[in-house]
Amino acid sequence: MPIVSQEDAAPARTTTPSLATRGPVLIVGSGLIGASIGLALATHGVPVRLSDASPSALALARDVGAGQPSADADDGGDVRLVVVAVPPDVTADVVARELRAHPGAVVTDVASVKGIVLEELADADLAAEDLARYVGSHPMAGRERSGAAAADADLFAGRPWVIVDHGSSSPDALMAVRHLAVDVGASPVQLSAREHDEAVALVSHLPQVIASLVASRLQGAPESALALAGQGLRDVTRIAASDPQLWAAILVGNAGPVAATLAAVRDDLAALVSALDEAAVHGPLTPGSMAAASGVVARGNAGVARIPGKHGGARRTYGEVTVLVPDRPGELGRLFGEVGEIGVNIEDFQMEHAPRQRVGMAVLSVLPASVTPLEEALQERGWRVVSA
Amino acid sequence: MPIVSQEDAAPARTTTPSLATRGPVLIVGSGLIGASIGLALATHGVPVRLSDASPSALALARDVGAGQPSADADDGGDVRLVVVAVPPDVTADVVARELRAHPGAVVTDVASVKGIVLEELADADLAAEDLARYVGSHPMAGRERSGAAAADADLFAGRPWVIVDHGSSSPDALMAVRHLAVDVGASPVQLSAREHDEAVALVSHLPQVIASLVASRLQGAPESALALAGQGLRDVTRIAASDPQLWAAILVGNAGPVAATLAAVRDDLAALVSALDEAAVHGPLTPGSMAAASGVVARGNAGVARIPGKHGGARRTYGEVTVLVPDRPGELGRLFGEVGEIGVNIEDFQMEHAPRQRVGMAVLSVLPASVTPLEEALQERGWRVVSA
């Protein structure tokens, strides 16, 4: 029997009241993240004001629909929320300035590092009631491309959005930033600045540095070596194409946690190099060298198994169905079309192939229970399924 | 005006004479690589004999169609080619044994390291005419899964297959191994053992070790940190799921080149850790710390740009078209189907999404000239294209 609750009487409400019911939002900094937030808010009818030190960056953000330049807006005085989306090394200064400029507004920033912003704000000589209007945040989303040209209203959809209470953030300010995250489609996650900085050092800054270091070794490699590159090297180095200036500010801004994490990898690496140096001199049966090498790979097995799956279950795993697909227009489409007809949802997808290959392997990740039915149905339709 | 050439008179011939015109091939070791070679040769009508120290592994390879167990074969005596597909640490012993057992046969191996096999063969006291029948090879193909159950007749299609002349390999033996590579669909590439070992240390062994070391740092991470993981961490650590025993034998077998490459990364890492330690103590404006961090990322930019594209052009790059795809059955299929109808070939594909997301971003790599026409055509058909 259905229970009549308060919600049945009240108007339908799927989330907390959105920012659309409040005043305009000012976004300071109209790069990828700022412009994407502007686009996402604009789709919800929130009035967005933009400012940027670069007039051309500002014009581009306006042109992609991220909001109106704040100088042009006729209601610049009633801003209720300021989002500071500038590089991490200037974030604290801009936050302090905006807290002073908009005494009635909540101010948040989206910098990838949180501790250093708080440290620098502590030196800014702000009144306690002003600091209470500041809440740090960090949307865990990005792209290898930067600038408003790469902005995307769906950039934050389903991604975690870290919210950092600095200890004296007011409940109202925390709620306003939570609304911001929810309104752009993100999932709010509350962490302390230290928890945040240590987490991103591990899951974001470490992979970036390592991808860059591996890729930098390719600078002097002979073409004949590069021609042997497979998917493994490509995957490990994909994010090495990132922006050096932005990343330098992030790494230096999170220097303590990043250095600690990198130092641990440096020590693991040094131990393996020592064991392999021994093996290079005394032969492959040198005591300890096999154990050192297999230990590194085995500990990697254990670590990678802890990365959560797409749907958020910490150890959710998918089954794989591998199908051979000729490398010509429409074949991959025909495959996906037929998988849809069969009624199976593709959770993830990877295409594997190598230079000059005329056939690719499409690796479809599906729920484990769908593996066998999908393999059978595809084979009946004439696809070449690679049995696992 | 067409010129009548010799080929017009002769029967059609698209490649060099295949192994099918010769005697049976014996494959020693029926794991992923051995069984995949067997499957590929079987599709060309080459009789394949299999042997393996493990009776159950042998039975599995037979069951997947990779060939007949050599004990069951009635023509075990006339083997013309032996392919040794056993772990690298036992490869030289098995090669020496097979050279003695089949005095009329060419013998090759598929170990991922080549120098150490030659060193160990030099100690095996073989006659010069026996050693002349040996040629090393290394098909650059593999999967994260092992064993004959994962075997695939198309595993080598379009992949490089390195062929190593040890200096006194006979021309006939080299030609036989070349035929083997071509018959299974691979592209033969001739390198010296040293060139090979240094190349794979860089493009294969380095990424494996680094992926394992990054993943191993996740072992003790809090769940709240792992929940922030994005595509970057997933890409960097994908190959960390590899087999520890096999990889230990590869790393120790190629100890010299691997140690040299890893030591260079260790030194780069140590320099960055020092710079970040300084910044952690003295603040983000410490002289040298920004330059150290941005230098690492900039050198990574330069290195990653050298990885050849799928079609083998050393600097061939593709354009990207990013499309928002709802996370339900058939949507990706509908997208690929329409891309096929539009007549554009998808060169590569990546799906980006995060936990609990209801929409994914399909990143289609296409020839640069196809980007704008494809974006426009998809938008006309109602797809949400993310402008770059």
Side-chain angles (χ1 to χ4, degrees), chain A residues 289-302, chain B residues 144 146 208 212 239-252:
Chain A
S289 58
M290 281 291 286
S294 78
V296 164
V297 182
R299 287 189 294 275
N301 288 176
Chain B
E144 288 148 73
S146 55
Q208 177 61 54
S212 296
I239 54 174
S242 299
D243 179 19
Q245 291 313 310
L246 174 63
W247 270 100
I250 292 171
L251 297 174
V252 170

Side-chain angles (χ1 to χ4, degrees), chain A residues 116 120 140 143 145 149-150 152 154 157-160 162 199 202-203 206-207 209-210 212-221 223 225-228 231-242 244-245 247-249 251-252 255-256 258-259 262-266 268-270 272-273 276-277 279-280 284 289-290 293-294 296-304 306-308 310-312 314-315 320 322 324 327-330 332-333 336-337 340 344-345 347-351 353-357 359 361 384 386-388, chain B residues 116 120 140 143 145 149-150 152 154 157-160 162 199 202-203 206-207 209-210 212-221 223 225-228 231-238 240-242 244-245 247-249 251-252 255-256 258-259 262-266 268-270 272-273 276-277 279-280 284 289-290 293-294 296-304 306-308 310-312 314-315 320 322 324 327-330 332-333 336-337 340 344-345 347-351 353-357 359 361 384 386-388:
Chain A
I116 193 150
E120 292 177 5
M140 301 299 298
R143 309 189 68 183
R145 285 174 287 181
D152 174 7
D154 289 287
R159 306 260 175 175
V162 179
L202 184 66
V203 305
L206 169 65
V209 168
I210 289 298
S212 296
L213 289 175
V214 171
S216 84
R217 289 288 115 212
L218 304 177
Q219 288 178 106
E223 297 277 345
L226 294 164
L228 303 184
Q231 197 57 43
L233 180 69
R234 288 180 170 81
D235 284 351
V236 168
T237 59
R238 183 181 63 82
I239 55 174
S242 298
Q245 291 314 309
W247 270 99
L251 297 174
V252 170
V258 174
L262 292 179
V265 174
R266 176 201 60 196
D268 289 351
L269 194 47
L272 180 60
V273 170
L276 292 177
D277 278 341
S289 58
M290 281 291 286
S294 78
V296 164
V297 182
R299 287 189 294 275
N301 288 176
V304 74
R306 296 197 65 215
I307 300 178
K310 172 187 156 197
H311 287 278
R315 279 169 195 76
E320 285 184 355
T322 303
L324 296 179
D327 184 19
R328 54 176 185 257
L332 208 49
F336 279 76
V344 170
N345 196 11
E347 303 293 340
D348 204 349
F349 173 82
Q350 211 162 13
M351 194 71 203
H353 38 198
R356 287 180 295 280
Q357 194 171 334
V359 69
M361 293 196 297
R384 295 171 66 195
V386 180
S387 40
Chain B
I116 195 153
E120 292 178 4
M140 301 299 298
R143 309 188 67 182
R145 286 175 288 181
D152 174 7
D154 289 287
R159 306 258 175 177
V162 180
L202 185 65
V203 304
L206 169 64
V209 167
I210 289 298
S212 296
L213 289 176
V214 171
S216 83
R217 290 287 115 210
L218 305 176
Q219 288 178 105
E223 296 277 344
L226 294 164
L228 303 184
Q231 196 57 43
L233 180 69
R234 288 180 169 81
D235 284 350
V236 169
T237 59
R238 184 182 60 84
S242 299
Q245 291 313 310
W247 270 100
L251 297 174
V252 170
V258 173
L262 293 180
V265 175
R266 176 201 60 197
D268 288 351
L269 194 47
L272 180 61
V273 170
L276 293 177
D277 277 341
S289 59
M290 281 291 285
S294 78
V296 164
V297 182
R299 288 190 292 276
N301 288 176
V304 73
R306 297 196 66 213
I307 300 178
K310 173 187 156 198
H311 287 278
R315 281 168 193 78
E320 285 185 356
T322 303
L324 297 179
D327 185 19
R328 55 175 185 258
L332 209 48
F336 278 76
V344 170
N345 196 11
E347 303 294 338
D348 204 349
F349 173 83
Q350 211 160 11
M351 195 72 202
H353 36 200
R356 287 180 296 279
Q357 194 172 334
V359 67
M361 292 196 299
R384 294 170 68 195
V386 180
S387 41

Side-chain angles (χ1 to χ4, degrees), chain A residues 92-93 96 100 116-126 131:
Chain A
D93 282 351
R100 291 191 177 103
I116 193 150
V117 175
L118 286 182
E119 279 174 37
E120 292 177 5
L121 272 181
D123 296 339
D125 202 24
L126 287 159
L131 206 54

Side-chain angles (χ1 to χ4, degrees), chain A:
Chain A
M1 190 195 289
I3 296 166
V4 177
S5 71
Q6 272 199 302
E7 279 74 14
D8 291 311
R13 202 176 86 183
T14 54
T15 60
T16 48
S18 93
L19 291 166
T21 63
R22 299 166 163 230
V25 172
L26 171 64
I27 298 175
V28 182
S30 60
L32 171 69
I33 301 296
S36 295
I37 293 172
L39 271 176
L41 291 176
T43 64
H44 285 69
V46 180
V48 177
R49 311 287 166 243
L50 298 170
S51 81
D52 198 295
S54 156
S56 61
L58 185 62
L60 180 62
R62 178 199 61 205
D63 292 351
V64 304
Q68 287 304 312
S70 58
D72 301 351
D74 50 10
D75 51 1
D78 63 348
V79 163
R80 302 295 300 273
L81 175 65
V82 181
V83 180
V84 174
V86 300
D89 48 343
V90 292
T91 293
D93 282 351
V94 178
V95 166
R97 186 188 76 197
E98 298 299 324
L99 282 168
R100 291 191 177 103
H102 300 277
V106 168
V107 176
T108 189
D109 72 302
V110 298
S112 312
V113 288
K114 300 269 66 88
I116 193 150
V117 175
L118 286 182
E119 279 174 37
E120 292 177 5
L121 272 181
D123 296 339
D125 202 24
L126 287 159
E129 60 268 31
D130 286 334
L131 206 54
R133 292 184 286 113
Y134 166 70
V135 171
S137 62
H138 181 201
M140 301 299 298
R143 309 189 68 183
E144 289 147 72
R145 285 174 287 181
S146 55
D152 174 7
D154 289 287
L155 188 66
F156 311 103
R159 306 260 175 175
W161 183 300
V162 179
I163 294 176
V164 175
D165 175 358
H166 56 72
S168 53
S169 301
S170 77
D172 279 357
L174 284 164
M175 190 56 76
V177 177
R178 235 185 138 75
H179 287 164
L180 171 67
V182 170
D183 280 358
V184 301
S187 303
V189 178
Q190 201 160 328
L191 294 177
S192 72
R194 185 181 170 153
E195 285 169 335
H196 167 273
D197 287 354
E198 289 180 352
V200 293
L202 184 66
V203 305
S204 170
H205 306 172
L206 169 65
Q208 177 61 53
V209 168
I210 289 298
S212 296
L213 289 175
V214 171
S216 84
R217 289 288 115 212
L218 304 177
Q219 288 178 106
E223 297 277 345
S224 59
L226 294 164
L228 303 184
Q231 197 57 43
L233 180 69
R234 288 180 170 81
D235 284 351
V236 168
T237 59
R238 183 181 63 82
I239 55 174
S242 298
D243 179 18
Q245 291 314 309
L246 175 64
W247 270 99
I250 293 171
L251 297 174
V252 170
N254 198 22
V258 174
T261 304
L262 292 179
V265 174
R266 176 201 60 196
D267 294 346
D268 289 351
L269 194 47
L272 180 60
V273 170
S274 296
L276 292 177
D277 278 341
E278 286 290 306
V281 174
H282 301 294
L285 300 181
T286 308
S289 58
M290 281 291 286
S294 78
V296 164
V297 182
R299 287 189 294 275
N301 288 176
V304 74
R306 296 197 65 215
I307 300 178
K310 172 187 156 197
H311 287 278
R315 279 169 195 76
R316 180 71 165 275
T317 54
Y318 293 106
E320 285 184 355
V321 173
T322 303
V323 186
L324 296 179
V325 182
D327 184 19
R328 54 176 185 257
E331 286 298 305
L332 208 49
R334 198 164 63 81
L335 171 64
F336 279 76
E338 298 197 8
V339 173
E341 286 167 24
I342 293 163
V344 170
N345 196 11
I346 297 171
E347 303 293 340
D348 204 349
F349 173 82
Q350 211 162 13
M351 194 71 203
E352 296 182 0
H353 38 198
R356 287 180 295 280
Q357 194 171 334
R358 282 184 302 270
V359 69
M361 293 196 297
V363 183
L364 312 176
S365 297
V366 299
L367 291 175
S370 300
V371 170
T372 306
L374 179 59
E375 285 185 342
E376 289 172 2
L378 285 173
Q379 271 165 335
E380 273 171 27
R381 287 160 178 258
W383 289 97
R384 295 171 66 195
V385 176
V386 180
S387 40

Side-chain angles (χ1 to χ4, degrees), chain B residues 5-29:
Chain B
S5 71
Q6 272 199 305
E7 277 74 14
D8 291 309
R13 202 176 86 186
T14 54
T15 60
T16 48
S18 92
L19 292 165
T21 62
R22 300 166 163 232
V25 172
L26 171 64
I27 298 173
V28 182

